[in-house]
Amino acid sequence: MNIEEEALIWASITLVLSILLTFFAGRHYFKSKNIMWLFWFLGFVLFVVAAICQEFFAFGIGGYLLSAIYVFSVAELVVILSLGSIQQAPKNWIKVYYWYSFFVTIAIIGSILLQRFNVLENYLPMNFPPVVMGTSSMGTIVGSGVILFFAAKALLFKGNKIKMSSVILGIVILGFGGTLVSGGFIEALYISEFIGMSLFLYGIS
């Protein structure tokens, strides 16, 4: 099996899992009308968009527009997921984080528009410009921390330690996927997404 076939298989699995995550998050929201689940639902919608982009990459289709959509989706989905998690914080924290998220989103869009780029390399999204990576990290690193802390807090409050551990481990694995890819492990992106999303799906289902 060559790299293109492997990328296509993993991209397809990721797409299916992202659709499942979106479905469960949407079901939670429409049942509860809870704003936390609304943000999580919107975040997973962006995950589906990113997964669709990965399908195109797996076919060797790249370019600036597709790369821009992918980078924005990947960075912004973490920001939006964190907006869901932050709903458990005090109201003054929430207001500050809303403003932070707004400025991060503007910065991400600005960095994407600043230069043309193509993330596609060997059928994978790997070739990220430094400026885009740096700006995206403003949202993803802080956002991941917010998700991790408040997801753990909420699940600890419920007393469901198994699901809490599943969500936390899922987030950690998803976060390390990009690092492993940059280290040369081609399948790491999709393996981390598969395992991470499966654990996350179990944790919220």
Side-chain angles (χ1 to χ4, degrees):
M1 186 180 297
N2 58 37
I3 294 177
E4 182 180 4
E5 291 172 337
E6 290 181 0
L8 182 58
I9 290 171
W10 285 110
S12 300
I13 292 172
T14 300
L15 179 59
V16 171
L17 284 174
S18 64
I19 291 172
L20 285 173
L21 278 171
T22 304
F23 169 76
F24 279 108
R27 189 176 68 172
H28 274 289
Y29 168 67
F30 289 113
K31 282 184 177 180
S32 66
K33 299 299 180 181
N34 187 311
I35 193 169
M36 180 188 78
W37 283 107
L38 173 61
F39 279 119
W40 281 34
F41 169 65
L42 294 175
F44 289 132
V45 167
L46 284 178
F47 212 137
V48 173
V49 173
I52 292 172
C53 291
Q54 288 178 174
E55 285 282 341
F56 281 103
F57 295 148
F59 281 106
I61 302 171
Y64 171 67
L65 180 59
L66 197 62
S67 297
I69 293 171
Y70 178 76
V71 169
F72 176 79
S73 299
V74 169
E76 193 64 18
L77 75 86
V78 178
V79 174
I80 293 179
L81 288 175
S82 67
L83 285 172
S85 297
I86 200 71
Q87 299 305 314
Q88 302 168 69
K91 288 186 177 180
N92 56 330
W93 289 24
I94 296 174
K95 187 175 181 179
V96 171
Y97 195 73
Y98 276 164
W99 279 108
Y100 173 78
S101 300
F102 172 75
F103 286 118
V104 165
T105 299
I106 296 300
I108 291 171
I109 294 172
S111 68
I112 290 172
L113 296 176
L114 187 64
Q115 64 179 118
R116 299 183 70 85
F117 58 92
N118 185 4
V119 300
L120 179 62
E121 184 178 322
N122 293 327
Y123 306 101
L124 290 171
M126 297 174 62
N127 187 28
F128 294 91
V131 174
V132 174
M133 282 289 290
T135 308
S136 299
S137 297
M138 291 170 56
T140 55
I141 293 175
V142 175
S144 296
V146 169
I147 294 170
L148 183 61
F149 177 79
F150 286 103
K153 180 177 178 291
L155 291 169
L156 273 173
F157 180 76
K158 292 178 181 178
N160 195 331
K161 293 184 179 180
I162 294 177
K163 289 201 170 186
M164 175 201 70
S165 301
S166 181
V167 169
I168 292 173
L169 189 57
I171 292 171
V172 171
I173 291 173
L174 285 170
F176 275 109
T179 304
L180 292 173
V181 168
S182 63
F185 184 24
I186 301 299
E187 295 178 340
L189 175 66
Y190 299 110
I191 292 174
S192 64
E193 285 179 342
F194 172 71
I195 298 174
M197 284 194 294
S198 297
L199 290 168
F200 205 101
L201 183 60
Y202 169 72
I204 68 171
S205 62

